[in-house]
Amino acid sequence: PIGGILELSSVPVGATVFVNGIEKGRTPVTLDVPGRINKLELRNSGYQPTIESLEITNARRKIVRNYRLERRTANLAFSLSPPGGQLFIDGRIIDSSKSHIVAANVDNKITYMLEGYFPASLATRLAPAERKTISIELKPKIGIVDIQTQPATNVFVNGKSAGETPVTLELISTSHMIELRRLGYRTVRKKVMPSSNGPIRIRETLMTELTARMADAPKEYEAKIGVTMKLFEPTDFVMGAPREEKGQRANEFLRKVRLTKPFYASKHEITNAQFKQFKNGYSGVGGDHFPATSLTWIEAAKFSNWLSKKENLNPFYVLGKNEFRGINKTAEGYRLLTEAEWEWLA
């Protein structure tokens, strides 16, 4: 009779070997077998069985096999609350919106994490071909935000109303945008990250929009054509001239004037060189640095509108071809000084 050898190994090692239904040992193993077709089977817990028929002949007396065993599998799906976190199976990040094939008959470690929540971990063991849905609900980390303002304001958290100050909020320990809003006042925005380690305290005194704009405004700036503008905050003053003042005219009366709006005024007169940029062919009197003179009021108003447009500002004057038609009260463009502003400056 013909005899032969089977030289068997596997990954992982330790698979039980059956030849013709009889247990013959564990891999790695070398076996003597008769010269015929032998039914070989390898079994290992948690892995798919491997079955093969091997024929020993006079020309083929030795057969070598190295088997890579495939794990038995099961199917896992997930129901997660809140959604949007990171899900791991055995340390590998996976897409939580899909079901996943996992090894059967072994412990699979599941971890779910989301900013502002305590992470959750568990282990699950599934039988071969089992389908299972795992539900995980994370517990939030809570932090305290205590808000007090002067004056009282409306509080918004991530765009949603959260009451009026003073207010104490319990928020999940993740990034939040807090807005303090009050009509006529500059909105205050604060990004906070509440923590369970202790409260966050916000104390704010809101500025009126006018005060805030004044705080933001530069004391001086330069317009595009080289005009230096200076910021002035006018006060109450007496306008006009008393009768005894030399040069006083009959239509000049003393009266108290209150200028309520801060304004920018150019530190120097508009020069010939600057006005030439607006009006081709203008020559003026004196050199380039002399003041532009002998202009009509309409020409000065047109120059103001021209400079406004150069700086993408709304023109102040509403003008026809050569006529004044009104003003735009909401415009932020350039204009001429009023008589009161000029006298206060003077």
Side-chain angles (χ1 to χ4, degrees), residues 26 64 67-68 75 79-80 90 98 106 111 128 142 148 158 183 202 213 215 225 276 315:
R26 296 178 182 275
V64 179
Y67 296 100
R68 181 174 294 277
N75 191 284
S79 175
L80 306 173
D90 297 324
K98 301 176 181 178
V106 296
T111 302
I142 299 297
Q148 296 183 27
N158 302 324
L183 189 63
I202 296 176
R213 288 182 67 182
I225 60 170
K276 283 178 187 177

mmCIF file of all heavy atoms in Angstrom, residues 26 64 67-68 75 79-80 90 98 106 111 128 142 148 158 183 202 213 215 225 276 315:
data_model
loop_
_atom_site.group_PDB
_atom_site.id
_atom_site.type_symbol
_atom_site.label_atom_id
_atom_site.label_comp_id
_atom_site.label_asym_id
_atom_site.label_seq_id
_atom_site.Cartn_x
_atom_site.Cartn_y
_atom_site.Cartn_z
ATOM 1 N N ARG A 26 -3.487 18.941 16.746
ATOM 2 C CA ARG A 26 -3.665 20.381 16.540
ATOM 3 C C ARG A 26 -2.492 20.943 15.751
ATOM 4 O O ARG A 26 -1.360 20.473 15.884
ATOM 5 C CB ARG A 26 -3.784 21.117 17.891
ATOM 6 C CG ARG A 26 -5.021 20.710 18.687
ATOM 7 C CD ARG A 26 -5.059 21.419 20.037
ATOM 8 N NE ARG A 26 -6.206 21.006 20.817
ATOM 9 C CZ ARG A 26 -7.421 21.533 20.710
ATOM 10 N NH1 ARG A 26 -7.638 22.516 19.852
ATOM 11 N NH2 ARG A 26 -8.415 21.079 21.460
ATOM 12 N N VAL A 64 1.877 19.763 1.670
ATOM 13 C CA VAL A 64 2.100 20.811 2.686
ATOM 14 C C VAL A 64 1.006 21.858 2.551
ATOM 15 O O VAL A 64 0.722 22.346 1.447
ATOM 16 C CB VAL A 64 3.489 21.464 2.524
ATOM 17 C CG1 VAL A 64 3.681 22.572 3.565
ATOM 18 C CG2 VAL A 64 4.595 20.425 2.624
ATOM 19 N N TYR A 67 -2.852 27.104 6.360
ATOM 20 C CA TYR A 67 -4.190 27.683 6.242
ATOM 21 C C TYR A 67 -4.288 28.982 7.055
ATOM 22 O O TYR A 67 -3.810 29.051 8.194
ATOM 23 C CB TYR A 67 -5.250 26.702 6.752
ATOM 24 C CG TYR A 67 -5.347 25.440 5.940
ATOM 25 C CD1 TYR A 67 -4.742 24.270 6.371
ATOM 26 C CD2 TYR A 67 -6.058 25.420 4.750
ATOM 27 C CE1 TYR A 67 -4.826 23.112 5.623
ATOM 28 C CE2 TYR A 67 -6.155 24.258 3.992
ATOM 29 C CZ TYR A 67 -5.540 23.119 4.433
ATOM 30 O OH TYR A 67 -5.622 21.971 3.698
ATOM 31 N N ARG A 68 -4.917 30.012 6.430
ATOM 32 C CA ARG A 68 -5.259 31.239 7.179
ATOM 33 C C ARG A 68 -6.759 31.179 7.438
ATOM 34 O O ARG A 68 -7.576 31.305 6.527
ATOM 35 C CB ARG A 68 -4.905 32.506 6.379
ATOM 36 C CG ARG A 68 -5.220 33.803 7.110
ATOM 37 C CD ARG A 68 -4.723 35.002 6.337
ATOM 38 N NE ARG A 68 -3.280 35.033 6.254
ATOM 39 C CZ ARG A 68 -2.471 35.511 7.201
ATOM 40 N NH1 ARG A 68 -3.002 36.006 8.303
ATOM 41 N NH2 ARG A 68 -1.171 35.505 7.041
ATOM 42 N N ASN A 75 -23.313 40.477 12.800
ATOM 43 C CA ASN A 75 -23.618 41.792 12.275
ATOM 44 C C ASN A 75 -24.106 42.713 13.387
ATOM 45 O O ASN A 75 -25.016 42.371 14.131
ATOM 46 C CB ASN A 75 -24.686 41.685 11.178
ATOM 47 C CG ASN A 75 -24.838 42.978 10.411
ATOM 48 O OD1 ASN A 75 -25.432 43.919 10.900
ATOM 49 N ND2 ASN A 75 -24.281 43.009 9.205
ATOM 50 N N SER A 79 -27.887 52.333 17.540
ATOM 51 C CA SER A 79 -28.826 53.425 17.768
ATOM 52 C C SER A 79 -28.189 54.336 18.814
ATOM 53 O O SER A 79 -28.044 53.950 19.985
ATOM 54 C CB SER A 79 -30.170 52.881 18.257
ATOM 55 O OG SER A 79 -31.042 53.945 18.594
ATOM 56 N N LEU A 80 -27.772 55.533 18.393
ATOM 57 C CA LEU A 80 -26.949 56.394 19.240
ATOM 58 C C LEU A 80 -27.683 57.686 19.577
ATOM 59 O O LEU A 80 -28.315 58.306 18.722
ATOM 60 C CB LEU A 80 -25.630 56.718 18.536
ATOM 61 C CG LEU A 80 -24.826 55.508 18.065
ATOM 62 C CD1 LEU A 80 -23.631 55.956 17.246
ATOM 63 C CD2 LEU A 80 -24.375 54.664 19.254
ATOM 64 N N ASP A 90 -13.362 47.952 18.789
ATOM 65 C CA ASP A 90 -12.005 47.441 19.028
ATOM 66 C C ASP A 90 -10.946 48.462 18.609
ATOM 67 O O ASP A 90 -9.930 48.133 17.982
ATOM 68 C CB ASP A 90 -11.789 46.118 18.291
ATOM 69 C CG ASP A 90 -12.716 45.030 18.806
ATOM 70 O OD1 ASP A 90 -12.976 45.008 20.024
ATOM 71 O OD2 ASP A 90 -13.182 44.206 18.002
ATOM 72 N N LYS A 98 -24.073 52.950 9.549
ATOM 73 C CA LYS A 98 -24.159 51.675 8.852
ATOM 74 C C LYS A 98 -24.003 50.518 9.825
ATOM 75 O O LYS A 98 -23.461 50.673 10.915
ATOM 76 C CB LYS A 98 -23.068 51.588 7.775
ATOM 77 C CG LYS A 98 -23.122 52.689 6.731
ATOM 78 C CD LYS A 98 -21.960 52.571 5.769
ATOM 79 C CE LYS A 98 -21.988 53.686 4.721
ATOM 80 N NZ LYS A 98 -20.821 53.599 3.817
ATOM 81 N N VAL A 106 -16.359 36.212 20.127
ATOM 82 C CA VAL A 106 -15.306 36.954 20.839
ATOM 83 C C VAL A 106 -15.932 38.236 21.376
ATOM 84 O O VAL A 106 -16.986 38.685 20.906
ATOM 85 C CB VAL A 106 -14.104 37.297 19.927
ATOM 86 C CG1 VAL A 106 -13.401 36.038 19.445
ATOM 87 C CG2 VAL A 106 -14.538 38.158 18.756
ATOM 88 N N THR A 111 -17.019 51.681 21.861
ATOM 89 C CA THR A 111 -16.843 52.957 22.556
ATOM 90 C C THR A 111 -17.502 54.053 21.734
ATOM 91 O O THR A 111 -17.307 54.128 20.518
ATOM 92 C CB THR A 111 -15.357 53.294 22.759
ATOM 93 O OG1 THR A 111 -14.733 52.247 23.500
ATOM 94 C CG2 THR A 111 -15.191 54.603 23.527
ATOM 95 N N PRO A 128 -22.250 33.243 15.849
ATOM 96 C CA PRO A 128 -22.095 33.296 14.394
ATOM 97 C C PRO A 128 -23.425 33.568 13.703
ATOM 98 O O PRO A 128 -24.470 33.020 14.064
ATOM 99 C CB PRO A 128 -21.556 31.907 14.047
ATOM 100 C CG PRO A 128 -20.855 31.458 15.287
ATOM 101 C CD PRO A 128 -21.663 32.014 16.412
ATOM 102 N N ILE A 142 -22.523 68.749 32.469
ATOM 103 C CA ILE A 142 -23.253 70.008 32.649
ATOM 104 C C ILE A 142 -22.366 71.037 33.341
ATOM 105 O O ILE A 142 -21.667 70.727 34.304
ATOM 106 C CB ILE A 142 -24.546 69.785 33.465
ATOM 107 C CG1 ILE A 142 -25.484 68.823 32.730
ATOM 108 C CG2 ILE A 142 -25.250 71.113 33.718
ATOM 109 C CD1 ILE A 142 -25.977 69.326 31.396
ATOM 110 N N GLN A 148 -24.812 88.352 34.577
ATOM 111 C CA GLN A 148 -25.415 89.577 35.114
ATOM 112 C C GLN A 148 -24.934 90.754 34.273
ATOM 113 O O GLN A 148 -23.755 90.822 33.894
ATOM 114 C CB GLN A 148 -25.015 89.783 36.575
ATOM 115 C CG GLN A 148 -25.533 88.698 37.515
ATOM 116 C CD GLN A 148 -25.180 88.966 38.964
ATOM 117 O OE1 GLN A 148 -25.013 90.123 39.358
ATOM 118 N NE2 GLN A 148 -25.060 87.905 39.749
ATOM 119 N N ASN A 158 -26.519 80.301 21.326
ATOM 120 C CA ASN A 158 -26.489 79.701 19.981
ATOM 121 C C ASN A 158 -27.696 80.131 19.157
ATOM 122 O O ASN A 158 -28.301 79.345 18.421
ATOM 123 C CB ASN A 158 -26.413 78.177 20.065
ATOM 124 C CG ASN A 158 -25.201 77.698 20.852
ATOM 125 O OD1 ASN A 158 -24.147 78.304 20.776
ATOM 126 N ND2 ASN A 158 -25.359 76.630 21.604
ATOM 127 N N LEU A 183 -32.048 96.670 22.648
ATOM 128 C CA LEU A 183 -32.277 97.674 21.625
ATOM 129 C C LEU A 183 -31.541 98.967 21.983
ATOM 130 O O LEU A 183 -31.651 99.472 23.105
ATOM 131 C CB LEU A 183 -33.776 97.945 21.486
ATOM 132 C CG LEU A 183 -34.189 98.829 20.293
ATOM 133 C CD1 LEU A 183 -33.836 98.157 18.983
ATOM 134 C CD2 LEU A 183 -35.685 99.131 20.361
ATOM 135 N N ILE A 202 -20.266 85.740 33.929
ATOM 136 C CA ILE A 202 -20.175 86.810 32.941
ATOM 137 C C ILE A 202 -20.773 88.067 33.554
ATOM 138 O O ILE A 202 -21.924 88.071 33.991
ATOM 139 C CB ILE A 202 -20.927 86.434 31.649
ATOM 140 C CG1 ILE A 202 -20.264 85.227 30.986
ATOM 141 C CG2 ILE A 202 -20.957 87.624 30.690
ATOM 142 C CD1 ILE A 202 -20.992 84.734 29.748
ATOM 143 N N ARG A 213 -19.674 103.025 19.058
ATOM 144 C CA ARG A 213 -19.116 103.498 17.795
ATOM 145 C C ARG A 213 -18.035 104.544 18.037
ATOM 146 O O ARG A 213 -17.026 104.584 17.330
ATOM 147 C CB ARG A 213 -20.233 104.080 16.922
ATOM 148 C CG ARG A 213 -21.167 103.024 16.353
ATOM 149 C CD ARG A 213 -22.226 103.645 15.459
ATOM 150 N NE ARG A 213 -21.646 104.210 14.265
ATOM 151 C CZ ARG A 213 -22.348 104.855 13.329
ATOM 152 N NH1 ARG A 213 -23.651 105.036 13.488
ATOM 153 N NH2 ARG A 213 -21.756 105.343 12.258
ATOM 154 N N ALA A 215 -16.117 104.635 20.660
ATOM 155 C CA ALA A 215 -14.943 103.914 21.166
ATOM 156 C C ALA A 215 -14.174 103.250 20.029
ATOM 157 O O ALA A 215 -12.942 103.146 20.063
ATOM 158 C CB ALA A 215 -15.380 102.869 22.189
ATOM 159 N N ILE A 225 -7.844 110.811 -1.095
ATOM 160 C CA ILE A 225 -7.135 111.848 -1.854
ATOM 161 C C ILE A 225 -6.123 112.593 -0.981
ATOM 162 O O ILE A 225 -5.592 113.622 -1.391
ATOM 163 C CB ILE A 225 -8.127 112.835 -2.487
ATOM 164 C CG1 ILE A 225 -8.959 113.527 -1.401
ATOM 165 C CG2 ILE A 225 -9.028 112.133 -3.488
ATOM 166 C CD1 ILE A 225 -9.778 114.688 -1.948
ATOM 167 N N LYS A 276 -8.248 119.397 -8.043
ATOM 168 C CA LYS A 276 -7.955 119.063 -9.433
ATOM 169 C C LYS A 276 -8.272 117.606 -9.746
ATOM 170 O O LYS A 276 -8.609 117.269 -10.881
ATOM 171 C CB LYS A 276 -6.479 119.332 -9.735
ATOM 172 C CG LYS A 276 -6.121 120.785 -9.937
ATOM 173 C CD LYS A 276 -4.610 120.911 -10.172
ATOM 174 C CE LYS A 276 -4.176 122.373 -10.204
ATOM 175 N NZ LYS A 276 -2.706 122.495 -10.355
ATOM 176 N N PRO A 315 -23.586 108.981 -0.925
ATOM 177 C CA PRO A 315 -23.473 110.442 -1.029
ATOM 178 C C PRO A 315 -24.508 111.143 -0.151
ATOM 179 O O PRO A 315 -25.638 110.688 -0.005
ATOM 180 C CB PRO A 315 -23.723 110.717 -2.520
ATOM 181 C CG PRO A 315 -23.408 109.424 -3.210
ATOM 182 C CD PRO A 315 -23.813 108.346 -2.249
#
